Amino acid sequence: MRGSGQHVRTLKLTNLEAGVEAQVKGLTGHPLFRNRLISLGITPHSQIVLVRRMPMGGPLEVEVRGTRLAIRRKDADQIWVSVGDSM
Amino acid sequence: MRIALVGNPNVGKTTLFNALTGAHQEVANWPGTTVEYVIGKIRTSEAGEDLELVDLPGTYALTAYARDERVTRNFLLYEPYDAVIVVVNASSLERNLFLALEVLELTPHVVVALNMVDVAREQGITVYADELSRRLGVPVVPTVASHGTGLAELVAWVRRIGRRRVVPLHTWVVPYPAELREVLEPLAAALAEAALAEAARNAGTLNAAAGAASSGGGPADRGAPGGRTPAGAGRFRPEWVALRLLQGDEEITREVRVVPQGQRAARLALSCCAQSAGIDVELGDEAVALDPALLAKVRAQYEAFELQIADAKYNHISRLVDECVQRQPLAKQTITERLDAVLLHPFWGYPAMAAVFFAAFWLSFVVSAPLSDWVSNGITWLGQWAARGMAALGAPAFLQSLVVDGVFAGVGAVLSFVPYMTIFFAIYQLLQDSGYMARASVLVDRWMQSIGLHGKGFFALVSAYGCNVPAMAATRVMENHRDRLLACLVIPFIPCNARLGVMAVMTAAFFPGTRGAFVMMALLLISAGVVAGASVLYRKTVLPTDPAPLLIELPDYHVPSLRNLAIPTWHRVWMFVSRIWKFLLWATLATWALTYFPVGAPVDQSYAARLGHLLAPVGQLYGFDWRLMIAIVFGFVAKETTLSTLGVLYGAGADGASLPHLLAQSMTPLVAFTYLVVYMLYIPCLSTVIQMHRESGSWKWTAAGMAVNVGVAFSLGLVLERLLWLFG
Ligand SMILES: Nc1nc2c(ncn2[C@@H]2O[C@H](COP(=O)(O)OP(=O)(O)OP(=O)(O)O)[C@@H](O)[C@H]2O)c(=O)[nH]1
Ligand SMILES: [Mg+2]
C-alpha cells in the first residue's frame, strides 16, 4: 500500500501540484455532478494526475483511468485527493 | 433486425455506422429535444435479413440523469431493438468498459466492438480480445472503424446474437461484494415475482385487446417469453431493476410500482436502504416523504449504494484489464501529448487558437464567395432565360415578373446559403472530429463563463459573424439545454456576413476614409457589448443557473476521414435546405407582391410603400424615412436583399445615380449611424428564426428571443439618436 509510514496530505484537487499522482479521497457537491464524475471514472480510490492548469483561473486538465479530462477549478474544488509526501 | 450503437463520446460509433451503412441513412429527431439519432440500413447481398442500425449520441453511463443525456438511455430502455453494439476505445478500456458493463446489466444481447486497436497498438497497448470475450461472456471483435477493419466479423456476430436467446455469463455481470449481494439478491427475487405478476396481468389485457399493437422496448425475449410486455418494469432484467432501485432511480421505481407485487418490491428496496442508513423504524413512503431529515438520510444512502456499485464495477474492470491488456511502457511522448504541449500551452495556446479559427473562417469565406456568386449568377441567368421564353410565349407581364422577381429570387435566396453552409459545416466537423474543438472550449471557458456562457459555445459565437444559422446549429455541442438556449438567444446580436456587407456599403457612403474604419469598429464593439450584456441579463433573469460543469474529455487527436466529414455535412445542409425553402419562397413571393401591386403603379405607390408610410411615424422618432423602414421590414426575409430593396426604392441606377450617393444625399451621417445600429441588432432573418425554433424546440422562446432583439435594437437606436443629437 502506498502511503504507509509516509506523511499523507489531503487537499483539494485544485491545489495539487502538476505531475504528481494522487488518490481521490472523496467527492462533494451536487448529486448530479458526482454522478457525472463517477461515470467519467473519478471515484474514491482512483489515481489522478493533474496535467496542466489553464491560465487566469481557467480549467484544469487531469488524467484519470487512462483518459484526460478538463474540469473547472470551481468543480475541482469538490474533489478531495491525497498524496504521500515521498521524497 | 434493429441494432443500437452505444459508446462513450468519440470512440468511433459514427465512423463505424458510416462504414457499415454508407449512404442509406436518415436522421430521426428525438421528440422534445434537439438531440437526434441517425438510422441506417445495412444491405446484404446474401439471403440474410437487412439490419437497421441506430447511431446514438455518446454517453458515459446509463445512469445519466441530466435531461440532455437521456436520449441513449431512453432508447435502450423503451425502444425496441434486437442487439446492442457497444463500441469501446481499446486504448482507454478502463473507462470505456464502465458503460459496457452497464449495458450488459441491462441486456445480454451485446457485441463489443473493440475499436481503435490501431491507436492502442501505437501506444504500446495490446488487448487480448478472446480473453476479454471469455470474461465478459459476449463476443468482442477488434475493429479499426476508420479503415473498415473487422466489420464483417462484427456484423456476423450481431446477426447471430440478435436472433438468439442469450444467457448472461453471470447473473450479476459484476461480482458485487457480499454486503451488496445480501441486499440485492432478495430484492431481485421480489422483482422477478413482480415481473411474473405483471406479465400475467398484461397477458390478460393483451387478450382483451387482441390485435392491438404491442409497443414494448428492448430485446424481444425479455420478460414473458414469446411476447413483448407493453409497460412496467417487467421487461427489464430483475437484477438491473434491483440495482436501479438501490440507487434511488425514481423513474424505474415508478415503473415497478404498477403492480401490487412491485409495490412490495419497491418497499423492500426502501427498507433495505433505511436499514443500511441506520434508520430503525418500519418505513412507509409517506413517512419518508414527510420527514426531511429522513429523506436526506435515505438520499445519502442511495448515493452510498451508488458509489459502492460504481466501485465494484471499476474493481471488476481493473481485474479484466489486468488479465486482458498488456502495456509496454512507451519511451517517447504520444503525438497528442506533443501537440497539446503547444495547443494547450498557457501562452501559445491562444495565438494557436486564433490561427486555427482564422484559417477556418478565412476558408469558409474565401472559398465560398465565388461559389455563391456562381450560384446567384446562375439563378439570375436562368431567370432571365425563363423570362425570355415566357415573353416569346406571350405570357402576361405580371407572370413574367412573378417568375423572375418572385420565384427565381426566392430560389436564389435559398441556394445562396448553400456554399457557405457546406464549407462551414465541413470545417466544423473537421475541428470537432480531430479533437481540437474540445481544446478550444477549454482555452476560452474562463472568459465565456464571465458572461454566463459555456466554453463549448465559443465556436458558435465566433462563427455567427459568418452566418447565424449554422452558428445556432453549432450550439448543439453543449449538453445542457439552457446553455444552448442562451447561446441561441444572443447569437442574433452578432452581425453575419450579409449584414456586415450592407453595413460596410453604408458606412463607406456616409463615413469616407479612415472614419469609416472607426465607425465599423464602433459598430462591432456595440454588438459585442450587447451580446455580453444580453447574456448576463438572461442569466440573471430567465435562465438563472450557472453554465453546466465543463467536464469534457480531451480525446486523442485524429485525422478524420473524408467520409466522416462528408456525411454529416450533407445531413446538415440538406436539413437546412429542406426546412427553409418553403418559408423563404413564400416570403420572397410576398415581398414581390407588395412591391409589384397595384399593377402599373410607381414604386412609391405600391402596397410596400403604403406599408412604409404606415411605419413612418415610428421611423420619424429616429429620423428614418419610409424607404428605410421598408428595407428593415423586407430585410427580415434575407439580409442579402437589403441593398437591392433600397436600390429599387431609391430608384438607383435609373438616372446613373448610385445607391451610396443617393443614400448620402437623403440623410445625415448621424441618422445613418443610428440606422446601422438598429439594422445590425434587430431580427437577423427568417432562416435564423426557423433555425432558432429548431434548436430551442419552442415557438415561445423563439418569439420571446425575437421580441427582445427588436426591442433592444429599437430602444438602443432611440438612446443613440438622443445622445448623438445632444452631442453631435
Ligand atoms: N485511428 C482511428 N481513428 C478512428 C477509429 N474509429 C474512429 N476514428 C476517428 O475517431 C474520431 C471520432 O469518431 P466518431 O465516429 O465521430 O466518434 P463517435 O463515437 O461517433 O463520437 P460521438 O458522436 O461524439 O459520440 C474521428 O476522427 C474518426 O475518424 C479507429 O478505429 N482508428
Ligand atoms: Mg457520433
Side-chain angles (χ1 to χ4, degrees), chain B residues 13-15 55-58:
Chain B
K13 294 179 296 300
T14 305
T15 314
D55 185 20
L56 292 165

Side-chain angles (χ1 to χ4, degrees), chain B residues 8-15 57-58 115-116 118-119 143-146 433-434 558-561 564:
Chain B
N8 286 177
N10 244 294
V11 291
K13 294 179 296 300
T14 305
T15 314
N115 197 33
M116 300 206 180
D118 56 332
V119 179
T143 57
V144 181
S146 46
D433 265 17
S434 63
H558 292 290
V559 180
S561 69
N564 263 2

